[in-house]
Amino acid sequence: MYNTTIKLNGTVSLRGDKSISHRLLMIASLINDKSIIKNLSTGSDVLTTMQCLQKCNIHIEQNQDTVIIGGTLKSPKSTLDCKNSGTTARMMIGLLAGQKISSSFKGDASLMKRPMKRIIAPLTAMSINIKHNNNMLPISINAKHVIPINCKQSTKSAQVKSSLMLASLGSNQYSSIAHNKNTRDHTEKILEYLKFDILIQNKIKIRKSKIEKGFSLSVPGDISNASFIIGACLIIPGSHIIITNVLYNKTRLGFINALLKMGANIKIIKKEQGHNLERLCDIKVKYTPKLKAININGDEIITMIDEIPILSIIATQATGQTVLRDAAELRNKESDRLSLIYNNLASMGANIKERSDGLIIDGNKKLYNTTIKHQDDHRIAMSFEVLNLLINNKMDQSYREIIKISFPEFYDIIEGLIQ
Ligand code: S3P
């Protein structure tokens, strides 16, 4: 359908997973000893977490791909700027509340509009004093005393679950946090691995813990960043790539599982990582001309929450109608992602419908070039760059600053694979 003159070929490895990078930095700040983190994400969201921690008296040294972190958390002298990072804001608020550190938080225009009630309500129930702007940032916290929480309704957000776990470290008594098993489980896994007092069952039980010894860990390659390269490879004729040392965790595999159901030519080779924190895998991907449409709904959405934009792009190249439901949470991300995917694809000529909680996308319709509306959302920008590559044989290359939020290597890696 397109006059594609390029293909992607080669083997790449990726910098560390963004979610795990945020968590290792924050959890290291709870340990007085020095910790070493290798292959940290280079995304500016993670840099934002580092800067916030540094303002709270944490020492961070960076040498090539190794970070050494240590020190004791103290009240910052000025407001912590979480910039574009929801994970920084929601998790740092829980972290500092748990350590009874008074602090205030702000963010960029996008983050200042994102919902914070989801953490404000439960943290308030833990007796943490929170001032907020109509349940949004700016927020300031004052936690003199933290009482445990018994959270009965399971949260579908890993950020909320993590914020509550970190805040629960402020009490000698166990908190009990109901959680949806499909939400990413990195925080509880890291805390358990480092021997914090945590029990992970149907509910997570967690309380104050004193950990004396620092850790040394390497962050597995970012599976969410891998999704853009996988997507490009699947839809560009003749492509064949291998991505090595990527995170293999079932709470993050929704995108790959969906692609396999669509008939994608993907092979996963699982590996052990020498410690029992997270596993790694190599992913082999080949161009797949006959992708089938798919229905995705319910908890499946949780395990691919950040991959819906690139999945929607892939759906435009599949045969049949893809129906995404139960995805209203996408409207609360860095942008209203459902609306941007709909508007951009519609203006490119796609047969697409927008529903309050999802999208209906007809595949195999020829799409045309357009100016992309991205509202500075990194995942929207990368998704449409992948489509650009298919339609125009080149990317726009003008979103470098936006894409830096999560995947600064995006353009260079794709350029390096083009043949
Ligand atoms: C994240 C959790 C998800 C995801 C975000 C990163 C995390 O958000 O969309 O990009 O690191 O915990 P929610 O927990 O709000 O679903």
Side-chain angles (χ1 to χ4, degrees):
M1 201 181 322
Y2 302 97
N3 181 18
T4 323
T5 54
I6 54 146
K7 57 186 174 191
L8 303 184
N9 235 300
T11 300
V12 291
S13 61
L14 303 177
R15 288 300 298 246
D17 185 74
K18 179 157 89 74
S19 288
I20 296 179
S21 298
H22 281 294
R23 284 156 170 83
L24 285 177
L25 288 166
M26 288 189 209
I27 293 170
S29 78
L30 296 170
I31 305 172
N32 270 331
D33 197 11
K34 281 189 174 162
S35 292
I36 298 170
I37 310 172
K38 293 211 168 89
N39 200 37
L40 199 74
S41 157
T42 48
S44 51
D45 269 5
V46 171
L47 204 63
T48 296
T49 287
M50 286 205 258
Q51 286 161 351
C52 289
L53 289 170
Q54 281 168 323
K55 274 189 144 189
C56 298
N57 194 45
I58 296 298
H59 308 288
I60 302 179
E61 278 167 50
Q62 202 160 7
N63 273 318
Q64 285 164 358
D65 85 328
T66 303
V67 162
I68 304 172
I69 172 167
T72 312
L73 284 167
K74 286 195 184 142
S75 233
K77 293 200 177 72
S78 55
T79 302
L80 299 175
D81 188 353
C82 303
K83 298 181 183 162
N84 194 244
S85 176
T87 309
T88 307
R90 295 189 179 118
M91 286 186 59
M92 283 289 298
I93 289 174
L95 176 88
L96 296 181
Q99 302 309 304
K100 290 143 193 142
I101 289 175
S102 299
S103 38
S104 46
F105 302 82
K106 63 179 181 182
D108 68 7
S110 147
L111 188 58
M112 299 288 268
K113 281 191 269 173
R114 291 180 68 184
M116 294 291 159
K117 189 172 181 188
R118 48 188 71 192
I119 56 162
I120 293 172
L123 292 176
T124 303
M126 296 174 85
S127 148
I128 295 154
N129 191 316
I130 307 187
K131 288 205 181 80
H132 52 90
N133 173 30
N134 206 7
N135 285 310
M136 286 179 287
L137 292 172
I139 284 178
S140 52
I141 57 167
N142 185 357
K144 293 209 170 59
H145 176 65
V146 176
I147 60 169
I149 189 162
N150 182 357
C151 184
K152 293 203 174 92
Q153 209 190 346
S154 78
T155 158
K156 288 191 173 182
S157 157
Q159 290 176 353
V160 173
K161 171 177 74 168
S162 301
S163 183
L164 297 185
M165 277 188 271
L166 294 173
S168 301
L169 295 172
S171 168
N172 282 321
Q173 286 158 315
Y174 282 104
S175 283
S176 169
I177 302 162
H179 61 121
N180 181 308
K181 291 249 165 66
N182 296 293
T183 53
R184 63 195 70 192
D185 59 1
H186 311 305
T187 311
E188 53 269 43
K189 273 179 120 172
I190 298 168
L191 292 171
E192 185 185 48
Y193 175 79
L194 296 175
K195 306 211 165 16
F196 280 71
D197 197 341
I198 182 168
L199 192 66
I200 309 165
Q201 292 177 331
N202 278 342
K203 289 189 167 191
I204 298 173
K205 295 214 154 124
I206 177 163
R207 66 169 181 168
K208 189 181 270 179
S209 317
K210 188 136 185 66
I211 305 300
E212 306 286 353
K213 205 172 155 344
F215 60 82
S216 174
L217 286 166
S218 179
V219 187
D222 192 312
I223 179 80
S224 294
N225 287 348
S227 70
F228 297 102
I229 304 171
I230 295 170
C233 182
L234 285 175
I235 63 175
I236 296 176
S239 299
H240 185 187
I241 57 149
I242 302 174
I243 314 177
T244 59
N245 296 330
V246 185
L247 173 72
Y248 181 87
N249 173 312
K250 71 171 180 8
T251 64
R252 302 287 298 280
L253 282 174
F255 174 70
I256 301 274
N257 290 335
L259 293 176
L260 290 171
K261 280 191 205 153
M262 294 172 85
N265 198 334
I266 296 183
K267 280 203 178 64
I268 303 281
I269 301 141
K270 286 176 236 169
K271 301 172 170 178
E272 293 299 332
Q273 211 203 354
H275 56 65
N276 53 5
L277 180 55
E278 296 283 3
R279 289 180 77 177
L280 299 177
C281 66
D282 290 349
I283 306 177
K284 286 188 176 184
V285 192
K286 257 192 191 163
Y287 166 64
T288 308
K290 290 201 172 102
L291 288 166
K292 298 184 293 256
I294 189 170
N295 288 339
I296 300 173
N297 48 58
D299 283 355
E300 281 173 312
I301 294 287
I302 299 175
T303 59
M304 60 179 108
I305 189 81
D306 292 336
E307 285 71 67
I308 299 292
I310 182 66
L311 192 84
S312 306
I313 300 296
I314 299 169
T316 65
Q317 303 308 307
T319 305
Q321 188 170 71
T322 289
V323 181
L324 307 173
R325 285 193 287 123
D326 304 320
E329 183 60 15
L330 263 85
R331 299 195 185 279
N332 294 322
K333 296 293 176 191
E334 285 84 332
S335 67
D336 177 342
R337 288 186 174 156
L338 292 183
S339 155
L340 285 184
I341 297 167
Y342 167 76
N343 278 303
N344 286 320
L345 285 178
S347 71
M348 295 173 93
N351 268 342
I352 180 166
K353 288 194 193 82
E354 182 182 9
R355 299 213 300 210
S356 61
D357 72 337
L359 297 167
I360 303 173
I361 305 166
D362 284 344
N364 276 344
K365 176 123 195 300
K366 185 155 167 71
L367 302 178
Y368 298 91
N369 217 350
T370 186
T371 306
I372 298 303
K373 295 193 188 81
H374 51 71
Q375 288 177 10
D376 293 340
D377 183 326
H378 51 128
R379 297 198 204 277
I380 294 291
M382 287 188 279
S383 301
F384 282 91
E385 281 290 40
V386 167
L387 196 49
N388 250 332
L389 206 53
L390 174 70
I391 300 176
N392 303 318
N393 294 301
K394 60 179 172 51
M395 296 179 286
D396 195 291
Q397 297 257 14
S398 61
Y399 310 131
R400 208 168 272 273
E401 277 309 304
I402 302 166
I403 288 173
K404 264 192 192 162
I405 291 283
S406 57
F407 195 5
E409 302 82 11
F410 173 79
Y411 283 125
D412 292 345
I413 287 185
I414 296 204
E415 288 293 321
L417 288 169
I418 292 179
Q419 286 194 335

